[in-house]
Amino acid sequence: MRKVDGHPEGTATVQFPLRRLPDFIALGRLDRPIGIYLLLWPTLWALWIAAEGQPSYKLIFIFVMGVILTRTGGCIVNDYADRNFDGQVQRTANRPWLPAVSAARKHWRWPP
């Protein structure tokens, strides 16, 4: 059986070294939480109003995670859409798109 990177061919390998974690945090702008707060504020207000008081912790958790995933996904989609343009603008020239994508391509294999 042929081996690829020390693993038998056809086996799914998912490697996520912690040294690349800062690239993914920067890619999703998790180091700048103001966008999350701006989405979370009206979301929690609506949740409390809809629950007529105190919503369950399960609902709060689901909505908070949804806000985080929505904001992170929006940042990633925006970086992808502007990948050819951001390098030409001084403010966005150091966006983390390329380091994080190269890390993902190197360490995640899809399809397995």
Side-chain angles (χ1 to χ4, degrees):
M1 177 177 281
R2 184 174 160 233
K3 291 192 173 191
V4 178
D5 292 335
H7 299 283
E9 187 177 20
T11 60
T13 60
V14 177
Q15 300 172 354
F16 190 83
L18 292 178
R19 71 179 193 280
R20 298 304 253 167
L21 189 60
D23 290 335
F24 289 101
I25 289 172
L27 180 65
R29 310 289 195 287
L30 293 173
D31 56 341
R32 292 183 229 144
I34 187 65
I36 293 172
Y37 299 152
L38 291 172
L39 287 174
L40 193 60
W41 183 255
T43 300
L44 291 179
W45 266 99
L47 187 60
W48 250 264
I49 291 170
E52 296 178 352
Q54 176 73 29
S56 69
Y57 290 114
K58 180 181 175 182
L59 275 179
I60 294 171
F61 176 77
I62 290 170
F63 276 82
V64 168
M65 292 308 296
V67 162
I68 293 170
L69 291 173
T70 299
R71 197 291 179 128
T72 302
C75 289
I76 293 169
V77 168
N78 179 59
D79 281 352
Y80 180 75
D82 292 342
R83 70 190 178 281
N84 298 326
F85 182 72
D86 280 345
Q88 301 170 12
V89 179
Q90 183 179 2
R91 185 181 66 85
T92 59
N94 295 322
R95 288 274 167 96
W97 176 254
L98 290 177
V101 169
S102 65
R105 286 183 182 158
K106 180 178 177 183
H107 297 289
W108 294 352
R109 289 177 178 70
W110 188 260

